[in-house]
Amino acid sequence: MRKIILLLGLLLTINGSAFAACDYSCAAPYNMNAKYKTFFSAISGYNSIVENRSEAILEREIAKIIVSDNLKVDIESFSPGNLKNGIFKSADISANNLLINDIHLSSLKLKSLCDFNYIKPNGDDVVFMEDFPMSFDIVMTQDDINNTMKHDRYQKIIKEVNKIANSSGVGIQIVSTNVAIKANKFYYIIGVNVPFVRREQKLVFETELTVKNGKIDFNNTKLVSGAFRLDLKKIDFIMNYLNPLDFSVNIIANKKAEVKVKNVEIKEDGIVTDGLIIIPKD
């Protein structure tokens, strides 16, 4: 039983890349336990007992991967035997004020989308017997994004941009990043070092948020504050390469998961986004 709980916990690991295409289909049930066993488990209440135990164990296992408030897990199974074999009807996971591998979020909700799901334990790993599609809903504030950008994973991206700038002869080096959300506008503040200029220069970009090819993208970006001018092409390159919003959405990229953002908006001084995640079958 513990392995089936662990395999659901693995859905929150982060390793892989995201793709825009997220079409999916649900498989018809197979390898199921005999119907009389499922019926007996349902009428006896044993199925509910096993589900509650499984949810409690899963919450403890996920707590080893993420730091969060109010973590909740809801598993709906066909029967205890099916659940033990990795077959279940649905799984919902939600948490508030969480940190997952250097990414801060105010809230996260995951919900499986098929009525039949099959994730088979395989030693310390798992095998996805069928595509596993999920919906996600994420809320992040400016504090969440700023805290995320302090961690090593995001700082590595900044170093990559600086390396590209050096090799291309641009000359400027990024030394700090910060964001702000005001009056339904998203602001990205970049501190740069410029050759022959002693002080750090602050560049403030104002941008609208949109979805492009399944990713959060910046639209109508403009420089609203800065001591010098930049080519608009360079602005677009810097903003999209350093995009902290798309970085924060890709928290669930296990086994080459496909991630597609459907909607994004600024609401009550936070970024609200939703979409689809599909972990392809092995």
Side-chain angles (χ1 to χ4, degrees), residues 6-198:
L6 287 172
L7 64 85
L8 290 176
L10 289 175
L11 297 179
L12 291 176
T13 59
I14 304 175
N15 181 24
S17 55
F19 300 88
C22 274
D23 295 331
Y24 70 93
S25 59
C26 296
Y30 63 96
N31 285 358
M32 300 278 287
N33 283 354
K35 290 185 177 180
Y36 77 88
K37 292 183 178 180
T38 302
F39 176 75
F40 175 78
S41 297
I43 64 173
S44 67
Y46 182 57
N47 197 31
S48 297
I49 295 173
V50 173
E51 286 177 356
N52 292 336
R53 288 177 55 195
S54 299
E55 290 163 0
I57 296 173
L58 178 55
E59 288 176 3
R60 290 201 301 268
E61 293 301 327
I62 292 177
K64 297 177 182 178
I65 302 171
I66 68 174
V67 177
S68 70
D69 295 336
N70 197 29
L71 174 64
K72 293 183 179 179
V73 176
D74 183 20
I75 300 173
E76 186 177 0
S77 66
F78 295 99
S79 70
N82 284 313
L83 182 59
K84 183 178 180 180
N85 293 328
I87 296 173
F88 55 97
K89 287 183 181 179
S90 66
D92 296 358
I93 300 173
S94 63
N96 297 323
N97 300 321
L98 62 152
L99 171 63
I100 309 176
N101 281 10
D102 296 348
I103 294 176
H104 295 258
L105 300 172
S106 288
S107 72
L108 169 67
K109 294 181 181 179
L110 299 172
K111 182 178 179 63
S112 60
L113 297 176
C114 290
D115 294 331
F116 171 81
N117 302 280
Y118 194 177
I119 309 174
K120 191 174 182 179
N122 183 25
D124 293 332
D125 201 359
V126 295
V127 176
F128 286 80
M129 304 299 290
E130 300 293 338
D131 289 352
F132 187 73
M134 296 176 287
S135 63
F136 71 84
D137 293 89
I138 287 174
V139 177
M140 55 185 126
T141 64
Q142 68 178 41
D143 288 341
D144 293 328
I145 302 166
N146 286 325
N147 286 328
T148 293
M149 292 193 297
K150 294 176 184 178
H151 289 283
D152 290 341
R153 289 185 62 227
Y154 189 81
Q155 290 299 311
K156 183 179 178 181
I157 297 176
I158 294 177
K159 291 178 181 178
E160 290 173 355
V161 173
N162 286 337
K163 186 177 180 180
I164 293 172
N166 273 333
S167 61
S168 61
V170 173
I172 65 173
Q173 292 287 290
I174 297 170
V175 294
S176 66
T177 57
N178 194 25
V179 305
I181 301 172
K182 295 182 179 179
N184 288 331
K185 293 288 186 179
F186 184 78
Y187 296 90
Y188 192 61
I189 303 99
I190 301 178
V192 297
N193 283 338
V194 182
F196 310 113
V197 178
R198 290 185 178 181

Side-chain angles (χ1 to χ4, degrees), residues 176-279:
S176 66
T177 57
N178 194 25
V179 305
I181 301 172
K182 295 182 179 179
N184 288 331
K185 293 288 186 179
F186 184 78
Y187 296 90
Y188 192 61
I189 303 99
I190 301 178
V192 297
N193 283 338
V194 182
F196 310 113
V197 178
R198 290 185 178 181
R199 286 187 176 183
E200 175 185 328
Q201 302 295 304
K202 292 288 187 181
L203 304 176
V204 181
F205 300 98
E206 179 187 286
T207 186
E208 298 174 0
L209 304 181
T210 187
V211 176
K212 183 178 180 180
N213 297 326
K215 295 184 177 182
I216 297 177
D217 196 24
F218 296 132
N219 190 39
N220 295 327
T221 303
K222 55 185 177 182
L223 182 64
V224 295
S225 178
F228 60 95
R229 295 181 180 180
L230 276 179
D231 189 326
L232 287 178
K233 291 183 179 179
K234 293 179 181 178
I235 292 177
D236 287 339
F237 167 77
I238 292 173
M239 291 288 286
N240 287 312
Y241 203 99
L242 294 176
N243 190 335
L245 302 182
D246 197 59
F247 178 87
S248 296
V249 165
N250 285 288
I251 61 168
I252 307 167
N254 182 38
K255 290 181 175 287
K256 297 183 180 179
E258 301 173 11
V259 180
K260 183 177 182 179
V261 176
K262 295 179 65 177
N263 302 289
V264 63
E265 64 175 324
I266 299 175
K267 189 175 182 181
E268 298 179 355
D269 295 325
I271 308 295
V272 180
T273 182
D274 63 77
L276 296 175
I277 299 169
I278 300 177
I279 300 177

